[in-house]
Amino acid sequence: MTIVDADTKFRKIWGPYSTKTYDSHFMLYQKEWLEENMHGAVIIGDGHFAMLKDKIRGVHFVANKNESSAKNVNDEDGVGFEVLTRKEKSLNKAIKAQRARVENPFAQLKAKWLALGKPWAEDMEQQGYLLFMAAAVHNMGI
């Protein structure tokens, strides 16, 4: 999990953690750090981040709304899901564009540091060191 600012600089890197953990749950584990260090920040994430809306003080979470999470108005046969409005679809599109901007620096790291894109044979601590080093080099513009 990383926090990348609007200038595409890595500001915080956590990890490793289990891929079975939802990102939103991981963020709840980091609640104290987020409230102390990210007060006033806006964090963009996937649909799971919507659950964080009022759970972490001083941090505003923006998340897309999935059609699958829309209310089911007829449970009997699975029909009747609400369709997203044009405004919701437009907001989802804008969020997707911003998420791509935030996720792009990690794609750049994986392209430059090929070991980050392959299964890791060393221990997880060593992988963390490599990620921190790659992020530092990225932040320096090298």
Side-chain angles (χ1 to χ4, degrees):
M1 171 72 67
T2 63
I3 293 180
V4 178
D5 67 16
D7 294 324
T8 68
K9 303 276 190 213
F10 289 90
R11 296 300 173 199
K12 179 69 176 169
I13 299 174
W14 289 282
Y17 65 95
S18 171
T19 55
K20 295 179 180 180
T21 303
Y22 286 119
D23 290 345
S24 55
H25 294 162
F26 183 81
M27 294 299 268
L28 281 175
Y29 302 145
Q30 304 302 324
K31 178 180 179 175
E32 186 177 320
W33 187 91
L34 290 165
E35 288 177 345
E36 288 176 14
N37 296 286
M38 299 299 291
H39 189 81
V42 176
I43 296 179
I44 299 172
D46 63 17
H48 292 150
F49 277 54
M51 71 166 285
L52 299 169
K53 186 177 179 185
D54 297 318
K55 295 189 175 164
I56 299 177
R57 276 186 330 234
V59 180
H60 180 71
F61 289 91
V62 178
N64 60 308
K65 182 175 180 182
N66 299 325
E67 284 200 59
S68 61
S69 66
K71 292 181 187 172
N72 185 343
V73 293
N74 183 358
D75 283 335
E76 292 175 25
D77 59 1
V79 206
F81 282 96
E82 288 182 22
V83 177
L84 295 180
T85 65
R86 279 193 181 133
K87 184 176 180 180
E88 289 169 329
K89 287 180 182 179
S90 177
L91 182 59
N92 278 356
K93 186 176 180 180
I95 291 170
K96 183 178 179 180
Q98 289 305 308
R99 285 187 63 211
R101 179 185 167 109
V102 169
E103 292 174 8
N104 188 39
F106 195 74
Q108 291 174 359
L109 288 188
K110 283 173 54 177
K112 252 187 212 180
W113 302 78
L114 299 179
L116 292 174
K118 296 179 179 178
W120 192 251
E122 306 297 325
D123 72 20
M124 295 303 278
E125 188 176 354
Q126 293 299 315
Q127 184 181 32
Y129 292 145
L130 176 61
L131 180 58
F132 289 131
M133 184 175 62
V137 169
H138 169 86
N139 284 355
M140 289 187 290
I142 298 174

